[in-house]
Amino acid sequence: MADVAMRGGFKRDLRRWRRRSRLVRAARLALPVAVVALLGSAIGQVVWRTMTAAERGPEKPQSQIRMLNPRFYGQSNDGRAFLITARSAVRDDADLKRVLLDDPTMTLGIDEPKPSRVTSKSGVYREDNLKLVLRGDVRMDDGGGYRFASDEAFVDTKTGVITGESVLQGEGPTGQVKSNAYSVYDKGDRIVFRGGVRTRLDRVGGDEN
């Protein structure tokens, strides 16, 4: 009887071992198949995303903060109030203190009887240091009968100083002037012309170099 029991136990152990062996072999076969399936799925996703991205086209840029008819008020160090307006403006996404202006107009001395104005096709205004850059068909009117035209103007609204490193042409009650660079000081009362200066004084006549 003991011998029979031992043989029965051995057969049960043998069957369990065979089952484990079959499971081990199945696992060895299934593991490579699963790895290949995962790799295939990953490659397929990459290919699919590439194809669909090409069909969708480039992603749209981040929406910009656009302002219509913006108005920026301020005051220079000497108490002279100024106003900057524009047809429209867009804040720089990378620097919200930097504002891009379309058809800007800057008025200096808005509370004065004869304020001076500067206009241009485009401009950049920084709200942190209150500096304004104007470019394209820059026109200046000092409020006293003098008008100037240039391609650019750099305005420091804190000091009220306007400078430019491009050709300036001006005219007024006493004549005309042309120079390669300029600076405007003292609320427009003092203008310094630099480089290739040519003037025509209507009262005197003739040209002065």
Side-chain angles (χ1 to χ4, degrees), residues 40 161 181:
V161 175

Coordinates of all heavy atoms in Angstrom, one line a residue, residues 40 161 181:
G40 N 5.7 47.4 -32.4 CA 4.9 47.7 -33.6 C 3.9 48.7 -33.3 O 3.7 49.6 -34.2
V161 N 12.8 114.2 -25.1 CA 13.8 114.3 -26.2 C 13.4 113.3 -27.3 O 13.1 112.2 -27.1 CB 15.2 114.0 -25.6 CG1 16.2 114.0 -26.8 CG2 15.6 115.0 -24.6
A181 N 20.8 113.5 -39.5 CA 20.4 113.1 -38.1 C 20.0 114.3 -37.4 O 20.2 115.5 -37.8 CB 21.6 112.4 -37.4

